[in-house]
Amino acid sequence: MSLEMLEKLEAKVQMAVDTISLLQMEIEELKETNESLTAEANELRSNRETLAQDNDKLQNDHQAWQERVRTLLGKMDHVE
């Protein structure tokens, strides 16, 4: 092999090493982003579950109040 060919090969190898290094850094950044998004998704799921439970409770409370109002209205009808 000639010296010129070795220099070209060395340049290509160095370019490949540089590219691999950049890709590894990008992978690390993507992993960090993924972890952050996973944590955020878990928090949102938890918040959604809490809101669903609160909604169920409020609907039950609303139904209970409606029943109480109906009962009171029924008693008022009997008074008249």
Side-chain angles (χ1 to χ4, degrees):
M1 259 191 190
S2 70
L3 184 59
E4 183 179 320
M5 288 180 74
L6 284 174
E7 288 173 351
K8 285 182 181 180
L9 180 59
E10 182 181 11
K12 287 183 180 183
V13 168
Q14 185 60 47
M15 189 183 303
V17 168
D18 292 344
T19 301
I20 290 169
S21 295
L22 288 173
L23 290 173
Q24 285 175 332
M25 287 191 299
E26 186 176 341
I27 287 170
E28 287 304 314
E29 289 175 9
L30 290 172
K31 283 181 182 178
E32 290 172 7
T33 301
N34 187 39
E35 288 173 5
S36 173
L37 291 173
T38 299
E40 185 178 347
N42 289 336
E43 183 178 345
L44 290 172
R45 269 190 218 98
S46 175
N47 290 344
R48 184 189 66 209
E49 290 171 6
T50 301
L51 288 173
Q53 290 171 355
D54 290 348
N55 186 43
D56 288 342
K57 183 186 179 310
L58 289 172
Q59 285 179 347
N60 291 336
D61 290 349
H62 182 256
Q63 287 176 342
W65 277 103
Q66 281 184 327
E67 187 59 35
R68 289 178 76 182
V69 168
R70 281 191 201 103
T71 302
L72 289 173
L73 290 174
K75 287 181 182 179
M76 288 177 65
D77 285 342
H78 290 315
V79 170
E80 295 176 1

